[in-house]
Amino acid sequence: MGVVVNIDDGKRTSASIEDLIALTRQDMGRVNELILSKAGSDVTMIPEVANHLISSGGKRLRPMLTLAAAQMFGYEGDGHVKLATSVEFMHTATLLHDDVVDESDMRRGKRTARMIWGNQASVLVGDFLLGQAFRMMVDVGSLEALDILSAAASVIAEGEVLQLSVAKNLETTEDEYLSVIKAKTAALFSAAAEVGPVVADATKADRAALRSYGTNLGLAFQLIDDALDYAGDTSSLGKNVGDDFREGKVTLPVILSFRRGSEEEREFWKSAIEKDQTDDEQLEFALKLMKKHNSIADTIGRARHFGGIARDALAPLKDTPQKQALLDVIDFCISRVT
Amino acid sequence: MGVVVNIDDGKRTSASIEDLIALTRQDMGRVNELILSKAGSDVTMIPEVANHLISSGGKRLRPMLTLAAAQMFGYEGDGHVKLATSVEFMHTATLLHDDVVDESDMRRGKRTARMIWGNQASVLVGDFLLGQAFRMMVDVGSLEALDILSAAASVIAEGEVLQLSVAKNLETTEDEYLSVIKAKTAALFSAAAEVGPVVADATKADRAALRSYGTNLGLAFQLIDDALDYAGDTSSLGKNVGDDFREGKVTLPVILSFRRGSEEEREFWKSAIEKDQTDDEQLEFALKLMKKHNSIADTIGRARHFGGIARDALAPLKDTPQKQALLDVIDFCISRVT
């Protein structure tokens, strides 16, 4: 290990989601309409809270995956629009609940819903969005898609609970951490990608390919997110370098630095993560240790490993603009920086 | 992807299991005695069949892992010898059963037990060894070790069944294949390593570290095995290059070549794997396709990824000769060739 990977390496014109955005533009228009209508309620606090997060400028990558994955197999109905909206609602609900659990003040450069409307409203509006997501899935009428997305909902919740149990635990192994992000992040990417071929009545092999693509893309995405938190540029992240550190989150760069470190270095990590000693000076020292142990470069290396698996998952599928756009997403995720 | 990895790269003096052998020599003497005595039975066919495989020159890597992992935490009893013997019996039972399931004629350069004594004897002697393994575990009296090893026994069997369902299925994704080898191979490596700290009453973190080490070492080991089957030297393998191909096994080099190949190339793989068109000419073409698509190099690359995780798993443990020997095993597995 210890290969120095320049985080800028993957930057080239194809490492963008422009093609994905173009291919799904029309369908995403319908998703956005559906989001607004299904987040609506006579209880005015519901659309207020929901729209605060929904309109906060997320990339809406997950619903685009669903749309492109359905288009790829020639789907012509409107079920994919509803499923894509369900996926985005599941994601939004998770974020609302996460911010409560993590006691976060800021997300995407804005105050979190819980800081404005309180924890209770955040939890309940999240529940409402989950309920609406299930109603839309039922409306599509595909038991298989329902099975995939409802299983994902359970797995995500399970992953969040698992994360509680590893929180602030510096002894967490890389395997254990991968289990957490596989559940917490990769499960929704996987379900989002798989319901495309499902609604389009594609083959079992096509479903497996998209499922595998989604899982591994999700793992790569999360690992790059972890790396960016220590290596990125604030303006493009919507969060500050070191946010994970200040919140005492045990992510892969921390796990690798802790495991590879000396006894003294491990004491530093304990005081930082377990005892919240995370001011700027300590962040600077953390970054120095990460550099010493190649922790960020190796985190990116691990992400590249999963990116490679995602790429091979799609390899046997017919060449379509959608397939190329989904492959670009892998490069985009990995080269995502400033 | 597509990095060309020279299979010889990792070869250096430390890439050997000499230190592991030396450190466990005394304990392995007791394991070997126990193997002979516990494979004994008044039913003379049992020791005949068992010893045929037991004396066929396997490296006994798994029991050495258990012994070294127990020594590492200062264990001084004799439970680790019994657990190591149980691990080896579980492994032997799996091989006996595998050869029946795969209808194999040769193993480690010798005729398989089933070719000499028949399928029934192979199945039943495997069952007997499994039974003896459990009796030895019970004898040690550690419920935790029993829990770990009995769970592994179930997972291994589950993995074998899963393998049946993916057998000859060229659409198998890399993820699905990894699930198979995680169960079929890595689970026993993982249990073998974890029961060491368990019997030595080490901490939970130490157990997790050895478990993770074992899992990832097992994955790396199996992937290198897969690569060697297409890239290795016959004399050191005890099997011939292309054995997996002739048996129509869908291993990672095949999966990558199939997925990355053209429509015509996929037709070739189908005729080879699904229709048993696997003579020397076809093997040569298969090797050519693997070269074209970097399938063997990338299989080794994936193994290196898991090797890296195994290495980081052990990183925080106190420096001991045993720790160093276990780290050497990773390099040995990856550089294993001629």
Side-chain angles (χ1 to χ4, degrees):
Chain A
M1 308 315 291
V3 181
V4 176
V5 179
N6 186 329
I7 201 167
D8 278 304
D9 262 3
K11 266 182 112 175
R12 43 191 186 86
T13 41
S14 82
S16 96
I17 50 171
E18 292 311 316
D19 288 350
L20 181 69
I21 291 172
L23 287 166
T24 59
R25 193 181 308 277
Q26 211 169 358
D27 285 342
M28 276 305 288
R30 296 160 70 199
V31 167
N32 291 331
E33 278 169 32
L34 203 54
I35 285 177
L36 286 178
S37 97
K38 296 293 176 181
S41 163
D42 293 341
V43 184
T44 52
M45 197 194 250
I46 290 181
E48 274 178 36
V49 176
N51 291 329
H52 173 76
L53 187 53
I54 287 169
S55 66
S56 72
K59 284 181 298 296
R60 303 207 174 156
L61 182 55
R62 295 162 189 79
M64 287 195 288
L65 294 183
T66 302
L67 296 173
Q71 289 175 4
M72 204 169 166
F73 300 99
Y75 182 66
E76 295 194 331
D78 66 351
H80 67 324
V81 169
K82 290 175 185 163
L83 292 174
T85 310
S86 298
V87 165
E88 185 65 7
F89 272 18
M90 284 172 67
H91 177 53
T92 307
T94 309
L95 297 184
L96 282 169
H97 288 182
D98 265 8
D99 286 341
V100 172
V101 173
D102 294 345
E103 301 181 353
S104 303
D105 303 342
M106 302 286 285
R107 172 173 299 273
R108 295 179 189 155
K110 287 172 69 173
R111 291 175 74 206
T112 52
R114 73 174 205 99
M115 295 303 287
I116 304 173
W117 292 277
N119 283 338
Q120 292 167 314
S122 294
V123 170
L124 296 174
V125 173
D127 293 344
F128 173 78
L129 293 177
L130 265 186
Q132 291 291 77
F134 278 100
R135 287 174 70 186
M136 280 185 282
M137 292 174 218
V138 173
D139 203 30
V140 175
S142 160
L143 278 177
E144 278 182 306
L146 260 168
D147 184 36
I148 291 162
L149 286 165
S150 59
S154 294
V155 169
I156 294 165
E158 214 169 23
E160 303 278 352
V161 177
L162 182 61
Q163 190 171 37
L164 284 186
S165 75
V166 308
K168 307 231 166 204
N169 180 3
L170 285 161
E171 313 269 15
T172 305
T173 62
E174 180 168 348
D175 278 340
E176 288 164 340
Y177 182 67
L178 283 177
S179 300
V180 169
I181 64 172
K182 197 166 184 182
K184 204 187 59 131
T185 307
L188 189 55
F189 274 83
S190 176
E194 189 181 358
V195 294
V198 164
V199 80
D201 259 330
T203 67
K204 229 178 116 173
D206 292 331
R207 281 180 52 168
L210 269 291
R211 177 170 60 234
S212 175
Y213 164 81
T215 302
N216 288 289
L217 176 69
L219 291 171
F221 180 90
Q222 183 63 57
L223 290 174
I224 293 296
D225 224 48
D226 293 350
L228 278 174
D229 200 86
Y230 288 98
D233 171 73
T234 301
S235 62
S236 74
L237 280 176
K239 59 179 185 177
N240 300 306
V241 167
D243 273 357
D244 285 352
F245 183 70
R246 277 181 291 271
E247 289 175 25
K249 282 192 183 164
V250 176
T251 59
L252 191 56
V254 174
I255 290 172
L256 294 179
S257 306
F258 178 79
R259 299 192 86 81
R260 295 172 181 180
S262 65
E263 209 51 69
E264 294 73 34
E265 290 172 10
R266 279 200 285 275
E267 284 309 315
F268 161 77
W269 288 109
K270 280 182 192 160
S271 74
I273 302 291
E274 294 171 3
K275 288 172 199 139
D276 297 320
Q277 307 285 311
T278 54
D279 62 23
D280 284 356
E281 202 183 318
Q282 275 128 348
L283 174 59
E284 205 177 311
F285 189 63
L287 287 166
K288 212 174 118 189
L289 292 181
M290 288 185 178
K291 191 160 181 176
K292 175 180 171 190
H293 294 295
N294 272 314
S295 315
I296 296 171
D298 284 350
T299 296
I300 297 167
R302 310 292 214 238
R304 283 186 193 279
H305 166 88
F306 293 113
I309 298 178
R311 179 172 299 284
D312 281 317
L314 294 190
L317 305 182
K318 211 175 70 189
D319 278 322
T320 57
Q322 284 78 10
K323 173 179 166 181
Q324 194 49 54
L326 292 180
L327 289 173
D328 287 350
V329 174
I330 304 171
D331 292 331
F332 168 77
C333 279
I334 292 176
S335 67
R336 204 161 36 117
V337 75
T338 57
Chain B
M1 307 317 291
V3 181
V4 176
V5 178
N6 186 327
I7 200 166
D8 279 304
D9 261 4
K11 266 182 112 176
R12 43 188 185 86
T13 41
S14 81
S16 95
I17 50 171
E18 292 310 317
D19 287 352
L20 181 69
I21 291 172
L23 287 166
T24 58
R25 194 181 307 278
Q26 211 170 357
D27 285 342
M28 276 305 288
R30 297 159 70 198
V31 167
N32 290 331
E33 279 170 31
L34 205 52
I35 284 178
L36 286 178
S37 96
K38 296 292 176 182
S41 165
D42 293 340
V43 184
T44 52
M45 196 195 250
I46 290 181
E48 274 177 35
V49 176
N51 290 330
H52 174 75
L53 187 52
I54 288 169
S55 66
S56 72
K59 285 181 299 295
R60 303 207 174 156
L61 182 56
R62 294 162 189 79
M64 287 195 287
L65 294 182
T66 302
L67 297 173
Q71 287 175 4
M72 204 169 167
F73 300 99
Y75 182 66
E76 295 193 331
D78 66 352
H80 66 325
V81 169
K82 290 174 184 163
L83 292 174
T85 309
S86 299
V87 164
E88 185 65 7
F89 272 17
M90 285 172 67
H91 177 53
T92 307
T94 309
L95 297 184
L96 282 169
H97 288 182
D98 265 8
D99 286 339
V100 173
V101 172
D102 294 344
E103 300 179 353
S104 304
D105 304 341
M106 301 287 285
R107 173 173 299 273
R108 295 178 189 155
K110 285 171 71 170
R111 289 177 74 205
T112 53
R114 73 174 204 101
M115 295 302 287
I116 304 173
W117 292 277
N119 283 340
Q120 292 167 314
S122 292
V123 170
L124 296 174
V125 172
D127 292 345
F128 172 78
L129 293 177
L130 266 186
Q132 291 290 78
F134 278 100
R135 287 173 70 188
M136 280 184 281
M137 293 175 219
V138 173
D139 203 31
V140 174
S142 159
L143 278 176
E144 279 182 305
L146 261 167
D147 185 35
I148 290 162
L149 285 166
S150 58
S154 294
V155 169
I156 294 164
E158 214 169 23
E160 304 278 351
V161 178
L162 183 61
Q163 190 170 36
L164 285 186
S165 75
V166 309
K168 307 232 166 202
N169 179 3
L170 284 160
E171 313 269 14
T172 306
T173 62
E174 179 167 350
D175 277 341
E176 287 164 341
Y177 182 67
L178 283 177
S179 300
V180 170
I181 65 173
K182 198 166 182 179
K184 203 187 61 132
T185 306
L188 189 56
F189 275 83
S190 177
E194 189 181 359
V195 294
V198 164
V199 79
D201 259 330
T203 67
K204 229 177 116 173
D206 292 331
R207 281 180 51 167
L210 270 291
R211 177 170 61 234
S212 175
Y213 164 81
T215 302
N216 289 289
L217 176 68
L219 291 171
F221 181 89
Q222 182 63 58
L223 291 174
I224 293 295
D225 225 46
D226 293 350
L228 278 173
D229 200 85
Y230 288 98
D233 171 74
T234 301
S235 63
S236 74
L237 280 176
K239 59 178 185 178
N240 300 307
V241 166
D243 273 356
D244 285 352
F245 183 70
R246 278 181 290 270
E247 290 174 26
K249 282 192 185 164
V250 176
T251 59
L252 191 56
V254 174
I255 291 172
L256 294 179
S257 307
F258 178 80
R259 299 192 86 80
R260 295 172 180 181
S262 65
E263 210 51 69
E264 294 73 34
E265 290 173 10
R266 280 201 285 274
E267 284 309 316
F268 161 78
W269 288 109
K270 280 182 194 161
S271 74
I273 301 291
E274 293 172 4
K275 289 172 198 140
D276 296 321
Q277 307 285 310
T278 55
D279 62 22
D280 284 356
E281 202 182 317
Q282 275 128 347
L283 174 59
E284 205 176 312
F285 190 64
L287 287 166
K288 213 173 117 189
L289 293 181
M290 287 185 178
K291 193 160 179 176
K292 174 179 172 191
H293 295 294
N294 272 313
S295 315
I296 297 172
D298 283 350
T299 297
I300 297 167
R302 311 291 214 240
R304 283 186 194 281
H305 166 89
F306 293 112
I309 299 178
R311 180 172 299 282
D312 281 319
L314 293 191
L317 304 182
K318 212 174 72 189
D319 279 322
T320 57
Q322 285 79 9
K323 173 179 165 181
Q324 193 50 53
L326 292 180
L327 289 173
D328 287 349
V329 175
I330 304 171
D331 292 330
F332 168 77
C333 280
I334 292 176
S335 68
R336 203 158 39 113
V337 74
T338 56

